Amino acid sequence: VLTESGGSYQIPNMLLPSQLHNDGNYIISLSKLARYLGEMAEGLGVEIYPGFAADEVIYSDDQTSVRGVATKDMGIGKEGEAKDTFERGVELLGRQTLFAEGARGSCSESIISKYNLRQEGGASNQHYGLGIKEVWEIPVENFKPGFVQHTLGYPLQSSVTDKVYGGSFLYHQEPNLVLCGLVVGLDYENPYLNPYKEFQRWKTHPAIKSHLEGGTCIQYGARVLNEGGYHSLPKLTFPGGMLLGCSAGFLNAVKIKGSHCAIQSGTIAAESVYNSLASGEDAEEKTVASTGEIDSEETPVEVTQYAESMEKSWVYDELKEVRNCHEAFSRWGVGGGLIYTGIAAHITKGKEPWTLPTPVGNNAGESKTDSKATKPAKDFQPIDYPAPDGIMTFDLLTNLQRSGTYHDDDQPSHLRIKPELAHIPESTSLQVYAAPESRFCPAGVYEYVDEKLVINAQNCIHCKCCSIKMPDEYIDWSVPEGGGGPQYQVM
């Protein structure tokens, strides 16, 4: 636990939840793992289309099932005109379409909304955290193989009653890298809070700074992650497809890890789809491998075995064990949250006979979302953040260059104001909430010039935060032309 005075104290390992123990885990680069698995998949005959973004879901004529996805048209100018390089997107059809887009995936969210999968699954609204991360290269003599550190306290919490949910991670990765980051729960209330600047301030604490001194920051990035856990899992299947990984919400916020759950959901999904499509009369003759095409007359099935198998898996057991912990922090602050998490982890282990329901939003009767958690600026004072020193802390645009982010400037913005909510940035966001989008975006996409919103879509690092934390969620996040976005190498 880090204190504002520069001190720190360690919670004894015996008191920590078992889910925070990292014995036997590997410290790796997820982007490198994804590329490695891609090579393995291609070696097995799987076709992978990097540089092509899934833009929309293709439904059956009666809209009752999913048939596949369509990639985004390419070569369209900023004003919507077709350029000489125009190329129509292609339809990718399948007997089953598995959506694994990560947290807040645009196609996944459209399906969840269209088929009311949260209501069908009895789930509460999903909640999110924003993870901001840097990779540092440090002197070899300072490297500590296998070192893992998680912190609470400074800078997000200064007292046991503070309700800003979040914490940090710091790992030493071979050969001489430090992976460090801060996760800030997006259900925070203060519109003046700036997650990126909180992260920069966190690095100045002696317990963190000592790991980075003498090193060089070589990469920067950010991404939202699911924090709703067990209570926010929607119905997983629908005719023609299913939700996998963080598209469904399989992340353990207490462990601050979700890749293991995502991989397991992919394994179970593959087995379930194979069992479904390979069973029944004339199953072999109906396969695409045999016919060379999708039978347009075939009615897509709903592979419910996937959801049944997931509910019996260790993924659900793990998430159920800590199902009330996030809400405990939201209700009672960091002190009460820690006490409740300790009781859940060591004593009840998820078997408590109660559920902490998600409270309503600012208006009675409204279901709470992270957007509705933001309170008017008049209730708070602006936060004075220290200026970056260019050595340990950096201004946002300097760090943005380390993400390798690139978008073709001559294309329509993939960040669009929803027409029915156009009045929000004009008369509400700045006037009532002091323009929180100018602070929570970790890429400097949104700014107000002469009280008018300017969207710098070319800066976007695809974290999806704006689609979640905007007042009334007024931004529609869609995919840009394929290949655009951050180019992470060691994240």
Side-chain angles (χ1 to χ4, degrees), residues 20-62:
L20 276 177
H21 294 179
N22 287 284
D23 294 342
N25 290 347
Y26 293 89
I27 300 172
I28 65 169
S29 162
L30 191 57
S31 57
K32 288 186 176 181
L33 174 65
R35 290 194 293 271
Y36 168 72
L37 292 176
E39 292 172 0
M40 290 186 64
E42 287 183 315
L44 295 171
V46 176
E47 295 183 8
I48 298 178
Y49 304 103
F52 292 87
D55 183 46
E56 61 179 308
V57 181
I58 299 174
Y59 297 97
S60 60
D61 291 341
D62 61 5

Short mmCIF file of all heavy atoms in Angstrom, two decimals, residues 20-62:
data_model
loop_
_atom_site.label_atom_id
_atom_site.label_comp_id
_atom_site.label_asym_id
_atom_site.label_seq_id
_atom_site.Cartn_x
_atom_site.Cartn_y
_atom_site.Cartn_z
N LEU A 20 -4.29 -13.51 -5.92
CA LEU A 20 -3.21 -12.56 -6.16
C LEU A 20 -1.83 -13.23 -6.05
O LEU A 20 -0.82 -12.56 -6.22
CB LEU A 20 -3.29 -11.39 -5.18
CG LEU A 20 -4.24 -10.25 -5.58
CD1 LEU A 20 -4.28 -9.19 -4.49
CD2 LEU A 20 -3.82 -9.63 -6.90
N HIS A 21 -1.81 -14.51 -5.75
CA HIS A 21 -0.53 -15.23 -5.71
C HIS A 21 -0.13 -15.59 -7.14
O HIS A 21 -0.95 -16.08 -7.91
CB HIS A 21 -0.66 -16.48 -4.85
CG HIS A 21 -0.89 -16.18 -3.40
ND1 HIS A 21 -1.05 -17.15 -2.44
CD2 HIS A 21 -1.00 -15.00 -2.73
CE1 HIS A 21 -1.25 -16.60 -1.25
NE2 HIS A 21 -1.23 -15.29 -1.41
N ASN A 22 1.12 -15.37 -7.47
CA ASN A 22 1.57 -15.55 -8.85
C ASN A 22 2.58 -16.68 -9.02
O ASN A 22 3.26 -16.74 -10.05
CB ASN A 22 2.16 -14.23 -9.37
CG ASN A 22 1.10 -13.19 -9.66
OD1 ASN A 22 0.39 -13.27 -10.66
ND2 ASN A 22 0.96 -12.23 -8.77
N ASP A 23 2.69 -17.54 -8.03
CA ASP A 23 3.61 -18.67 -8.17
C ASP A 23 3.22 -19.51 -9.37
O ASP A 23 2.05 -19.89 -9.54
CB ASP A 23 3.57 -19.55 -6.90
CG ASP A 23 4.12 -18.84 -5.68
OD1 ASP A 23 4.83 -17.84 -5.88
OD2 ASP A 23 3.82 -19.26 -4.55
N GLY A 24 4.19 -19.81 -10.23
CA GLY A 24 3.93 -20.64 -11.40
C GLY A 24 3.45 -19.89 -12.61
O GLY A 24 3.31 -20.48 -13.69
N ASN A 25 3.18 -18.59 -12.46
CA ASN A 25 2.76 -17.80 -13.61
C ASN A 25 3.97 -17.35 -14.43
O ASN A 25 5.09 -17.31 -13.93
CB ASN A 25 1.98 -16.56 -13.16
CG ASN A 25 0.61 -16.91 -12.61
OD1 ASN A 25 0.13 -18.03 -12.77
ND2 ASN A 25 -0.03 -15.96 -11.94
N TYR A 26 3.73 -17.00 -15.68
CA TYR A 26 4.77 -16.50 -16.55
C TYR A 26 4.54 -15.03 -16.85
O TYR A 26 3.40 -14.60 -17.02
CB TYR A 26 4.80 -17.28 -17.88
CG TYR A 26 5.23 -18.73 -17.73
CD1 TYR A 26 4.30 -19.72 -17.49
CD2 TYR A 26 6.57 -19.08 -17.84
CE1 TYR A 26 4.69 -21.05 -17.36
CE2 TYR A 26 6.97 -20.41 -17.71
CZ TYR A 26 6.03 -21.38 -17.46
OH TYR A 26 6.42 -22.69 -17.32
N ILE A 27 5.60 -14.25 -16.88
CA ILE A 27 5.52 -12.83 -17.25
C ILE A 27 5.90 -12.73 -18.72
O ILE A 27 7.05 -12.99 -19.09
CB ILE A 27 6.46 -11.98 -16.39
CG1 ILE A 27 6.09 -12.12 -14.90
CG2 ILE A 27 6.41 -10.51 -16.82
CD1 ILE A 27 7.08 -11.46 -13.96
N ILE A 28 4.94 -12.39 -19.56
CA ILE A 28 5.16 -12.41 -21.01
C ILE A 28 4.56 -11.17 -21.65
O ILE A 28 3.85 -10.39 -21.01
CB ILE A 28 4.52 -13.66 -21.66
CG1 ILE A 28 3.00 -13.62 -21.50
CG2 ILE A 28 5.10 -14.94 -21.09
CD1 ILE A 28 2.26 -14.64 -22.32
N SER A 29 4.84 -11.01 -22.93
CA SER A 29 4.21 -9.97 -23.74
C SER A 29 3.00 -10.57 -24.43
O SER A 29 3.11 -11.54 -25.18
CB SER A 29 5.20 -9.45 -24.79
OG SER A 29 4.52 -8.78 -25.83
N LEU A 30 1.82 -10.00 -24.17
CA LEU A 30 0.60 -10.53 -24.77
C LEU A 30 0.59 -10.32 -26.28
O LEU A 30 0.08 -11.17 -27.02
CB LEU A 30 -0.63 -9.88 -24.13
CG LEU A 30 -1.98 -10.50 -24.46
CD1 LEU A 30 -2.01 -11.98 -24.09
CD2 LEU A 30 -3.10 -9.76 -23.75
N SER A 31 1.14 -9.21 -26.75
CA SER A 31 1.17 -8.99 -28.19
C SER A 31 2.07 -10.01 -28.88
O SER A 31 1.76 -10.50 -29.97
CB SER A 31 1.64 -7.57 -28.51
OG SER A 31 2.92 -7.30 -27.96
N LYS A 32 3.18 -10.37 -28.23
CA LYS A 32 4.05 -11.41 -28.79
C LYS A 32 3.36 -12.77 -28.76
O LYS A 32 3.49 -13.57 -29.70
CB LYS A 32 5.37 -11.47 -28.04
CG LYS A 32 6.31 -10.29 -28.31
CD LYS A 32 7.66 -10.49 -27.63
CE LYS A 32 8.63 -9.38 -27.97
NZ LYS A 32 9.96 -9.59 -27.33
N LEU A 33 2.64 -13.05 -27.69
CA LEU A 33 1.92 -14.32 -27.60
C LEU A 33 0.88 -14.43 -28.72
O LEU A 33 0.74 -15.48 -29.35
CB LEU A 33 1.24 -14.45 -26.23
CG LEU A 33 0.34 -15.68 -26.06
CD1 LEU A 33 1.16 -16.96 -26.12
CD2 LEU A 33 -0.45 -15.61 -24.75
N ALA A 34 0.15 -13.32 -28.96
CA ALA A 34 -0.88 -13.34 -30.00
C ALA A 34 -0.26 -13.61 -31.37
O ALA A 34 -0.80 -14.39 -32.17
CB ALA A 34 -1.65 -12.02 -30.00
N ARG A 35 0.88 -13.00 -31.64
CA ARG A 35 1.53 -13.24 -32.93
C ARG A 35 2.03 -14.69 -33.03
O ARG A 35 1.92 -15.33 -34.08
CB ARG A 35 2.69 -12.26 -33.12
CG ARG A 35 2.24 -10.82 -33.35
CD ARG A 35 3.37 -9.94 -33.86
NE ARG A 35 4.43 -9.77 -32.87
CZ ARG A 35 4.45 -8.80 -31.96
NH1 ARG A 35 3.43 -7.94 -31.89
NH2 ARG A 35 5.45 -8.68 -31.12
N TYR A 36 2.54 -15.20 -31.93
CA TYR A 36 3.02 -16.59 -31.90
C TYR A 36 1.87 -17.57 -32.15
O TYR A 36 1.98 -18.50 -32.96
CB TYR A 36 3.68 -16.87 -30.56
CG TYR A 36 3.96 -18.33 -30.28
CD1 TYR A 36 4.98 -19.00 -30.96
CD2 TYR A 36 3.22 -19.03 -29.34
CE1 TYR A 36 5.24 -20.34 -30.69
CE2 TYR A 36 3.48 -20.37 -29.08
CZ TYR A 36 4.49 -21.02 -29.75
OH TYR A 36 4.74 -22.34 -29.49
N LEU A 37 0.75 -17.35 -31.47
CA LEU A 37 -0.41 -18.23 -31.67
C LEU A 37 -0.95 -18.10 -33.09
O LEU A 37 -1.44 -19.08 -33.66
CB LEU A 37 -1.50 -17.89 -30.64
CG LEU A 37 -1.17 -18.22 -29.18
CD1 LEU A 37 -2.30 -17.74 -28.27
CD2 LEU A 37 -0.95 -19.72 -28.99
N GLY A 38 -0.88 -16.89 -33.66
CA GLY A 38 -1.32 -16.71 -35.04
C GLY A 38 -0.49 -17.54 -36.00
O GLY A 38 -1.03 -18.15 -36.94
N GLU A 39 0.81 -17.57 -35.77
CA GLU A 39 1.68 -18.38 -36.62
C GLU A 39 1.35 -19.87 -36.47
O GLU A 39 1.32 -20.62 -37.47
CB GLU A 39 3.14 -18.13 -36.26
CG GLU A 39 3.63 -16.72 -36.61
CD GLU A 39 5.01 -16.44 -36.05
OE1 GLU A 39 5.57 -17.35 -35.39
OE2 GLU A 39 5.53 -15.33 -36.27
N MET A 40 1.08 -20.30 -35.25
CA MET A 40 0.71 -21.70 -35.03
C MET A 40 -0.59 -22.04 -35.74
O MET A 40 -0.71 -23.11 -36.37
CB MET A 40 0.58 -21.99 -33.53
CG MET A 40 1.89 -21.98 -32.76
SD MET A 40 1.65 -22.49 -31.04
CE MET A 40 1.12 -24.18 -31.24
N ALA A 41 -1.56 -21.12 -35.64
CA ALA A 41 -2.86 -21.36 -36.27
C ALA A 41 -2.72 -21.46 -37.78
O ALA A 41 -3.31 -22.35 -38.43
CB ALA A 41 -3.84 -20.25 -35.89
N GLU A 42 -1.95 -20.55 -38.37
CA GLU A 42 -1.75 -20.60 -39.82
C GLU A 42 -1.05 -21.89 -40.23
O GLU A 42 -1.32 -22.44 -41.30
CB GLU A 42 -0.94 -19.38 -40.27
CG GLU A 42 -1.75 -18.09 -40.23
CD GLU A 42 -0.98 -16.90 -40.75
OE1 GLU A 42 0.20 -16.74 -40.37
OE2 GLU A 42 -1.55 -16.11 -41.54
N GLY A 43 -0.15 -22.37 -39.37
CA GLY A 43 0.53 -23.63 -39.67
C GLY A 43 -0.43 -24.81 -39.69
O GLY A 43 -0.15 -25.84 -40.33
N LEU A 44 -1.57 -24.65 -39.00
CA LEU A 44 -2.59 -25.71 -38.98
C LEU A 44 -3.65 -25.51 -40.06
O LEU A 44 -4.62 -26.27 -40.12
CB LEU A 44 -3.27 -25.74 -37.60
CG LEU A 44 -2.36 -26.15 -36.42
CD1 LEU A 44 -3.08 -25.93 -35.10
CD2 LEU A 44 -1.94 -27.61 -36.56
N GLY A 45 -3.47 -24.48 -40.88
CA GLY A 45 -4.40 -24.26 -41.98
C GLY A 45 -5.45 -23.21 -41.74
O GLY A 45 -6.34 -23.01 -42.58
N VAL A 46 -5.38 -22.51 -40.62
CA VAL A 46 -6.35 -21.45 -40.33
C VAL A 46 -6.00 -20.21 -41.15
O VAL A 46 -4.83 -19.82 -41.23
CB VAL A 46 -6.35 -21.11 -38.82
CG1 VAL A 46 -7.29 -19.93 -38.54
CG2 VAL A 46 -6.75 -22.32 -38.00
N GLU A 47 -6.99 -19.60 -41.76
CA GLU A 47 -6.77 -18.37 -42.51
C GLU A 47 -6.97 -17.16 -41.59
O GLU A 47 -8.00 -17.04 -40.94
CB GLU A 47 -7.73 -18.28 -43.69
CG GLU A 47 -7.51 -19.37 -44.74
CD GLU A 47 -8.43 -19.22 -45.93
OE1 GLU A 47 -9.14 -18.19 -46.01
OE2 GLU A 47 -8.47 -20.13 -46.78
N ILE A 48 -5.96 -16.29 -41.54
CA ILE A 48 -6.02 -15.09 -40.71
C ILE A 48 -5.89 -13.88 -41.62
O ILE A 48 -5.07 -13.87 -42.54
CB ILE A 48 -4.89 -15.10 -39.65
CG1 ILE A 48 -5.07 -16.30 -38.70
CG2 ILE A 48 -4.87 -13.80 -38.86
CD1 ILE A 48 -3.98 -16.43 -37.66
N TYR A 49 -6.72 -12.87 -41.37
CA TYR A 49 -6.76 -11.69 -42.23
C TYR A 49 -6.37 -10.44 -41.45
O TYR A 49 -7.23 -9.61 -41.12
CB TYR A 49 -8.14 -11.52 -42.84
CG TYR A 49 -8.62 -12.72 -43.61
CD1 TYR A 49 -9.56 -13.59 -43.06
CD2 TYR A 49 -8.12 -13.01 -44.88
CE1 TYR A 49 -10.00 -14.71 -43.77
CE2 TYR A 49 -8.56 -14.13 -45.58
CZ TYR A 49 -9.50 -14.97 -45.02
OH TYR A 49 -9.92 -16.06 -45.72
N PRO A 50 -5.09 -10.27 -41.13
CA PRO A 50 -4.68 -9.03 -40.44
C PRO A 50 -4.85 -7.84 -41.37
O PRO A 50 -4.69 -7.94 -42.58
CB PRO A 50 -3.20 -9.29 -40.12
CG PRO A 50 -2.75 -10.27 -41.15
CD PRO A 50 -3.94 -11.14 -41.44
N GLY A 51 -5.22 -6.71 -40.80
CA GLY A 51 -5.42 -5.53 -41.63
C GLY A 51 -6.83 -5.37 -42.14
O GLY A 51 -7.13 -4.42 -42.88
N PHE A 52 -7.72 -6.30 -41.77
CA PHE A 52 -9.13 -6.20 -42.17
C PHE A 52 -9.98 -6.16 -40.90
O PHE A 52 -9.93 -7.08 -40.09
CB PHE A 52 -9.54 -7.39 -43.05
CG PHE A 52 -8.88 -7.40 -44.39
CD1 PHE A 52 -7.63 -7.99 -44.56
CD2 PHE A 52 -9.48 -6.81 -45.49
CE1 PHE A 52 -7.01 -8.00 -45.80
CE2 PHE A 52 -8.88 -6.82 -46.73
CZ PHE A 52 -7.63 -7.41 -46.89
N ALA A 53 -10.74 -5.10 -40.73
CA ALA A 53 -11.52 -4.92 -39.51
C ALA A 53 -12.97 -5.33 -39.73
O ALA A 53 -13.59 -4.94 -40.73
CB ALA A 53 -11.46 -3.46 -39.07
N ALA A 54 -13.51 -6.13 -38.81
CA ALA A 54 -14.93 -6.50 -38.86
C ALA A 54 -15.76 -5.27 -38.50
O ALA A 54 -15.68 -4.75 -37.39
CB ALA A 54 -15.22 -7.65 -37.90
N ASP A 55 -16.56 -4.81 -39.46
CA ASP A 55 -17.27 -3.54 -39.30
C ASP A 55 -18.72 -3.71 -38.89
O ASP A 55 -19.27 -2.89 -38.17
CB ASP A 55 -17.19 -2.76 -40.61
CG ASP A 55 -17.83 -1.39 -40.54
OD1 ASP A 55 -17.57 -0.69 -39.55
OD2 ASP A 55 -18.58 -1.03 -41.46
N GLU A 56 -19.35 -4.76 -39.36
CA GLU A 56 -20.77 -4.95 -39.04
C GLU A 56 -21.12 -6.42 -39.01
O GLU A 56 -20.45 -7.26 -39.61
CB GLU A 56 -21.65 -4.23 -40.07
CG GLU A 56 -21.48 -4.72 -41.49
CD GLU A 56 -22.40 -4.00 -42.46
OE1 GLU A 56 -23.62 -3.95 -42.18
OE2 GLU A 56 -21.91 -3.48 -43.48
N VAL A 57 -22.18 -6.71 -38.29
CA VAL A 57 -22.68 -8.08 -38.17
C VAL A 57 -23.69 -8.32 -39.28
O VAL A 57 -24.54 -7.47 -39.57
CB VAL A 57 -23.34 -8.31 -36.79
CG1 VAL A 57 -23.84 -9.75 -36.67
CG2 VAL A 57 -22.36 -7.99 -35.67
N ILE A 58 -23.58 -9.48 -39.92
CA ILE A 58 -24.55 -9.86 -40.95
C ILE A 58 -25.59 -10.78 -40.31
O ILE A 58 -25.25 -11.82 -39.75
CB ILE A 58 -23.85 -10.59 -42.12
CG1 ILE A 58 -22.82 -9.67 -42.77
CG2 ILE A 58 -24.88 -11.04 -43.15
CD1 ILE A 58 -22.00 -10.34 -43.83
N TYR A 59 -26.84 -10.37 -40.40
CA TYR A 59 -27.94 -11.14 -39.83
C TYR A 59 -28.72 -11.84 -40.94
O TYR A 59 -28.65 -11.47 -42.12
CB TYR A 59 -28.87 -10.23 -39.03
CG TYR A 59 -28.22 -9.57 -37.84
CD1 TYR A 59 -27.72 -8.27 -37.91
CD2 TYR A 59 -28.11 -10.24 -36.63
CE1 TYR A 59 -27.12 -7.65 -36.83
CE2 TYR A 59 -27.51 -9.63 -35.52
CZ TYR A 59 -27.01 -8.34 -35.63
OH TYR A 59 -26.42 -7.75 -34.56
N SER A 60 -29.48 -12.84 -40.54
CA SER A 60 -30.38 -13.49 -41.48
C SER A 60 -31.46 -12.51 -41.91
O SER A 60 -31.65 -11.46 -41.30
CB SER A 60 -31.01 -14.72 -40.82
OG SER A 60 -31.74 -14.34 -39.66
N ASP A 61 -32.17 -12.85 -42.98
CA ASP A 61 -33.18 -11.93 -43.50
C ASP A 61 -34.23 -11.58 -42.46
O ASP A 61 -34.74 -10.45 -42.43
CB ASP A 61 -33.86 -12.54 -44.74
CG ASP A 61 -32.92 -12.63 -45.93
OD1 ASP A 61 -31.90 -11.90 -45.93
OD2 ASP A 61 -33.19 -13.43 -46.85
N ASP A 62 -34.56 -12.54 -41.60
CA ASP A 62 -35.58 -12.25 -40.58
C ASP A 62 -34.97 -11.72 -39.29
O ASP A 62 -35.68 -11.54 -38.29
CB ASP A 62 -36.42 -13.51 -40.30
CG ASP A 62 -35.57 -14.67 -39.78
OD1 ASP A 62 -34.36 -14.48 -39.55
OD2 ASP A 62 -36.14 -15.78 -39.61
#
